[in-house]
Amino acid sequence: MRDLKESWVTSANSSETEFPLNNLPYGVFSNGEVDQRCGVAIGDQILDVAVLERDGVLSFGGTLQTAGWNAFMALGQDAWSTLRGDLERLLAAGSQHEAALTSHLVPIADAILHMPFTVAEFTDFYAGKHHATNIGTMFRGAENALPPNWLHIPIGYNGRASSVVVSGTDIVRPHGQLKGPDDEVPRFGPSARFDIELELGAIVGQPSNGPISVAQAFNNVFGYVLLNDWSARDIQAWEYQPLGPFQAKATATTISPWIVTAAALDPFRTSTPEREKPLLDYLQEPGPMLYDIALTVSLTPKGGAESVIAQTNYAEMYYSAPQQLAHHTTSGCPMRVADLLGSGTISGPERENRGSLLELSWGGKEPIALEDGATRSFIEDGDLLTLRGAAHGDGYRIGFGDCSGRVLPARK
C-alpha cells in the first residue's frame, strides 16, 4: 500500500517530510534536557520511546531504555512488528493518546543525533554492476572489466566496525603509504585522491550460526541506513593486491542517523535485474528483495553552494542485501545482531548516475563542474559530502535523513 497514513502530528502529513507515519524510523537522540536515548522520527519531531516504556505505554523488557537499538533488535520479528503496530496506533490521526503524548515530542531541530546502534561487525560488498564495470574498465580495460567470479557471487571484504560514525562527524583526511606510476619508491603522506562511495547499509537484526537461505536472510534484516564508504584511492591503488582494500577503507564509514525498517520499505520492493549467468540455487531469490529508493550525492565546498553531483537508485544493485547475507553465512560464519552490510557503490548506466568521484571524474581525467564554477576530481579539504535517499509513495516519501561529513585537512 502506497497511500499516506495520516497522523495527529501535523508535520508528518506533508509530502515534503521524510518521516510520515508510514516510515517511523528508529534513532538515538539527546538534547539539553535528556541524555542519549531511543527515539522515533515522526514529521519534524522525535517521539521519546524510552520514556513511554518507562511509563508503561510500551513494554519491551527495558530494551528501549538503552542508548541504542541493539537490545530491541535482538528480541526478534514479533517484537519488531508489535512496536511498529503500537506506534502506528499511538500516532495515527484521531488517536486518543494525542494529549498524553504531545509532551513527549522533541523537535528534531533541537536534538543531537547519535549512532542509532553499536555496530557488531562490518562487511562491505562490491555488488553494483555499473560501478564494478566502470572501475574494471578504468584499470583492466572493457574486455576484462568484471572479475570471472563477479556474475556468480556477491564479492565483499571485512571492514572496520570501529570506523563507523554517524552523519555529521567530521572526517580527517588520512595519511598512508603511496606509490604513483612515476614514483621509483613508496612515500608516506596524505591521500590526494580521497573519495566517497554511495551505498545502502543493511542491519542484521537476528543472529545465525550457520548457512541460512535467502528467504531467511530477508527476514533477518532489521532495517537500512544510507552509508558512505570513504575511500583513499591512491592508498588503495598501492596496497590492494593481493588481498584487497585495507587502510584505504579504514578511515571512516558514515551512516545516516535513522534506521528505516524493512517493514517501512516493504511497499517499495522490486526485483534484482535479469541474470547474465544463472546463479546457484542457494542464491536464488523467492521474491523481490531490492527496493526502489531514489538516491543523490551532493558536494558543498567550504563557503560555497551545494551541487548535486550524482543521482541513482538502489534498484540498480545486482545483488540484494538478503543474497549478500545468505552468501556470507555459507562458510558457517556466525552473523551477529547489529552486523552491518554495505551494499557496495550504487551507480547507474549514465555518467550522472555514478556513485563515486572516481567514476564521475573517470579517474581524475574528466573533472566534474560544480554550481559555482569550480571543478572536482576528488574531495578537497573543507568539502561537505551529503548522501540522501527516499522511496516515494502517493503524496509521501520514506527518507533516511542526511548522511553527511565534512573533510578536514590531514593532521600534521
Side-chain angles (χ1 to χ4, degrees), residues 127-140:
K129 186 168 183 288
H130 296 293
H131 173 71
T133 300
N134 288 337
I135 300 302
T137 299
M138 269 187 264
F139 294 103
R140 294 185 298 275

Side-chain angles (χ1 to χ4, degrees), residues 49-334:
V49 294
V51 75
L52 294 188
E53 187 181 49
R54 184 199 67 192
D55 293 347
V57 179
L58 299 172
S59 179
F60 292 93
T63 58
L64 303 183
Q65 302 303 302
T66 59
W69 287 85
N70 296 57
F72 174 78
M73 277 191 264
L75 296 180
Q77 296 165 27
D78 288 346
W80 305 351
S81 179
T82 298
L83 176 58
R84 184 170 178 82
D86 287 347
L87 292 170
E88 287 187 348
R89 173 177 53 81
L90 293 170
L91 293 167
S95 168
Q96 62 182 358
H97 301 278
E98 177 179 352
L101 295 184
T102 299
S103 62
H104 300 312
L105 293 175
V106 175
I108 293 176
D110 296 341
I112 299 170
L113 301 179
H114 304 274
M115 279 289 293
F117 67 106
T118 300
V119 179
E121 307 280 356
F122 172 48
T123 303
D124 198 25
F125 285 87
Y126 186 59
K129 186 168 183 288
H130 296 293
H131 173 71
T133 300
N134 288 337
I135 300 302
T137 299
M138 269 187 264
F139 294 103
R140 294 185 298 275
E143 300 79 10
N144 300 302
L146 294 178
N149 59 356
W150 199 93
L151 293 172
H152 298 276
I153 57 172
I155 299 171
Y157 68 93
N158 291 315
R160 290 290 304 176
S162 63
S163 295
V164 181
V165 297
V166 73
S167 176
T169 304
D170 290 335
I171 309 300
V172 178
R173 183 180 298 274
H175 283 82
Q177 190 174 128
L178 312 164
K179 187 179 184 299
D182 299 325
D183 295 333
E184 291 187 8
V185 295
R187 58 189 173 82
F188 185 80
S191 170
R193 293 163 70 90
F194 201 44
D195 197 2
I196 57 116
E197 291 189 346
L198 167 63
E199 304 191 25
L200 212 67
I203 303 165
V204 178
Q206 286 289 279
S208 55
N209 291 305
I212 61 174
S213 68
V214 175
Q216 184 59 53
F218 179 82
N219 290 329
N220 282 8
V221 174
F222 178 67
Y224 294 82
V225 290
L226 296 176
L227 186 150
N228 181 354
D229 179 31
W230 301 90
S231 303
R233 300 300 186 184
D234 40 7
I235 296 172
Q236 184 177 359
W238 173 234
E239 75 175 5
Y240 83 104
Q241 293 196 30
L243 295 180
F246 181 36
Q247 292 296 83
K249 301 279 193 172
T251 301
T253 300
T254 302
I255 64 170
S256 51
W258 298 105
I259 302 170
V260 176
T261 63
L265 291 170
D266 196 67
F268 305 95
R269 287 169 62 177
T270 189
S271 297
T272 47
E274 186 176 345
R275 301 295 160 183
E276 293 187 26
K277 295 183 182 294
L279 296 177
L280 297 181
D281 288 346
Y282 81 95
L283 283 173
Q284 297 288 342
E285 291 179 304
M289 291 188 175
L290 278 181
Y291 300 99
D292 178 5
I293 302 172
L295 301 162
T296 64
V297 180
S298 71
L299 188 156
T300 309
K302 187 175 182 179
E306 181 178 21
S307 300
V308 174
I309 60 173
Q311 301 180 69
T312 187
N313 195 294
Y314 182 57
E316 295 287 355
M317 297 306 297
Y318 196 79
Y319 295 101
S320 67
Q323 286 175 309
Q324 293 169 347
L325 176 54
H327 179 67
H328 208 332
T329 69
T330 54
S331 65
C333 171

